[in-house]
Structures are given as C-alpha cells and as structure tokens.
C-alpha cells in the first residue's frame, strides 16, 4: 500500500498540495484526475522524493518514505514515467530501458531477466531495441518510458499523463497495453494521472479527483477486474 497522509507541498508562496491524503493499493489501478495545474505531477514527484514536503507523510507498506533517500525509492520497486518521457535520444532503446537497472547496480542476469520480461510484455518496443530513442515516434517513446518504469517498478508504477500528446489511435493502443499489463502483472499497483480518464475505464479500480491541490475520492469499485483476473 502506498499512502499519503496530509501531504503539503509549497512552491514559494503557493501551496500546491493542500493536506493531500490518498492511497494507491497494490494490485489495483488508481487514477488521479485533474486539470492543468491541479497538482498531479507534484503528487507523483513528491512520492518519488523529488520534492520536499512541507508537512505530512508518505507511507509505503507502513514505513515512512521520508527515511528512504531518493535513489533508494526505485530500489523499493517503485517505477516512475514522467510526463515528458525523458529518454536519452542518442542512446539505444535497450540502453534507455537498462538505465535504471545500471543506476541501481542490478546484476547482469537480473538486468537480462527484467529486459526479457519487458520485451515479452511490450513486443512493440522489442523490435526497436537497437534504434536510437530519438528516432522513435511519440507513441513508441511513451511505451519505452513505460518499459523503463517497469524495469524497477516491480511493486508500483507511477505514470504521469501517459496519453498526453498521443494521436487517438496511439492512445487507444497504449490503453490496451496497460490492460495487458494489468493482466500479466496482477500484483502491480498502478497510479496514473490523467485529465480525461475515459481511456482508463477498463482498468480503473479507484478514481481520485485533484482540484487546486486538494484530493477527493470519486469512486471505489469493489470486486474489480483484477480480483476477477486472479
Ligand atoms: N517547480 C515549480 N515551481 C513553481 N511552481 C510550480 C513548480 N511546479 C509546479 N508548480 C505549480 O504548481 C501547481 C501544480 O503543478 P503540477 O505540475 O503539479 O500540475 P499538473 O496537475 O501536473 O498540471 P499539468 O496538467 O499541466 O501537467 C501549478 O500551479 C504550477 O504552476
Ligand atoms: Mg503535470
């Protein structure tokens, strides 16, 4: 379980997260819906330890992430695909995927095991493995960013507006990929931000609304697709 308790984040004189309390259960898909500037990215960056909290706590399986340095959060099994992908354009797709594994000094066999798993799950990027990330289409780049988050995200994956900037047909295909991920990794917790959550209808278990830095729970579906799939 990933849980935020009264998290407060401020940029200068602007309070951007106002006592945000929310949870993202493991084995479930939680969608955080909000307009531009509502605080979606700030929420995910706070979880990853990229922003200091003015107040509140972020708990991962009941221990406080404040005690876990940023570089060790990925080691806990939390992967993050930022809004803007941040792939290294002149480096191959495969090396982009491996970057977090190298940063965390995974053994060679473990790197290969995870890479094989990602290619099996995302065959559309397996065929691009030797290409420079910079020549990929926007849709392919998004999938590589997802693959990179999955390299370390064995427990949770945080996706920031995964469909943003994608043509409708590519967004649909990405949504299908997420549905496949949901089935192949049922224990994975997904926390996804979106402004229009329509494409996530098939996989969402819990919807949260963020408005001006305040989060409210919209729905909580009991007996989800994940339970049915298990
Ligand atoms: N580094 C920063 N310095 C100052 N203000 C910031 C910074 N990052 C975000 N903000 C402000 O915090 C608020 C929330 O921003 P955030 O990026 O979390 O929103 P968002 O919901 O992700 O929006 P978007 O849909 O545009 O991605 C906005 O008012 C934004 O201007
Ligand atoms: Mg954002």
């Amino acid at each position: 379980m990933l849980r935020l308790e009264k998290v407060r984040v401020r940029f200068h004189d602007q309070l951007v997260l106002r006592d945000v309390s929310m949870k993202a259960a493991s084995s479930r898909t939680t969608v955080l819906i909000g307009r531009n500037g509502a605080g979606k990215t700030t929420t995910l960056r706070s979880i990853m330890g990229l922003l200091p909290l003015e107040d509140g706590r972020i708990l991962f399986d009941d221990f406080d992430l404040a005690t876990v340095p940023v570089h060790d959060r990925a080691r806990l099994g939390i992967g993050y695909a930022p809004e803007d992908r941040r792939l290294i354009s002149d480096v191959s797709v495969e090396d982009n995927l491996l970057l977090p594994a190298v940063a965390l000094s995974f053994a060679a066999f473990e790197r290969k095991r995870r890479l094989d798993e990602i290619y099996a799950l995302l065959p559309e990027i397996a065929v691009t493995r030797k290409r420079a990330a910079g020549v990929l289409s926007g849709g392919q780049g998004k999938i590589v960013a997802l693959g990179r988050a999955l390299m370390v995200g064995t427990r949770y994956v945080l996706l920031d507006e995964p469909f943003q900037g994608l043509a409708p047909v590519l967004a649909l295909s990405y949504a299908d990929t997420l549905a496949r991920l949901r089935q192949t990794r049922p224990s994975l917790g997904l926390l996804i931000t979106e402004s229009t959550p329509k494409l996530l209808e098939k996989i969402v278990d819990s919807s949260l609304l963020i408005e001006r830095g305040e989060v409210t729970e919209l729905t909580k579906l009991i007996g989800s697709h994940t339970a049915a799939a298990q």
Side-chain angles (χ1 to χ4, degrees), residues 11-12 14 16 35-43 83 160-161:
F11 290 119
H12 312 293
Q14 190 193 358
V16 174
R35 296 198 191 118
N36 284 357
K40 303 181 295 296
T41 300
T42 304
T43 304
E83 218 166 358
D160 199 0
E161 300 204 55

Side-chain angles (χ1 to χ4, degrees), residues 106-153:
F106 287 168
F109 76 91
E110 184 60 21
R111 290 203 289 245
K112 167 131 184 27
R113 192 185 68 76
R114 292 189 187 215
L115 201 54
D116 289 346
E117 209 180 291
I118 289 165
Y119 286 147
L121 181 70
L122 310 170
E124 60 270 60
I125 58 169
V127 296
T128 69
R129 67 217 286 172
K130 300 286 175 223
R131 273 185 232 157
V135 306
L136 299 183
S137 69
Q140 287 171 321
K142 288 265 183 181
I143 302 288
V144 175
L146 171 64
R148 190 183 48 187
L150 286 167
M151 180 58 78
V152 292

Side-chain angles (χ1 to χ4, degrees), residues 11 21 31 42 52 77-78 115 155 184 190 192 198 214 217:
F11 290 119
S21 295
V31 180
T42 304
I78 307 176
L115 201 54
R155 302 278 315 279
T184 52
L190 285 175
I192 307 175
K198 185 114 189 70
E214 288 185 65
E217 195 162 349

Side-chain angles (χ1 to χ4, degrees), residues 144-183:
V144 175
L146 171 64
R148 190 183 48 187
L150 286 167
M151 180 58 78
V152 292
T154 50
R155 302 278 315 279
Y156 277 92
V157 166
L158 316 184
L159 303 176
D160 199 0
E161 300 204 55
F163 307 122
Q164 197 188 41
L166 290 184
V169 63
L170 292 176
L172 269 176
S173 149
Y174 191 111
D176 287 345
T177 301
L178 289 180
R180 216 164 57 233
L181 172 65
R182 197 56 291 175
Q183 298 221 315

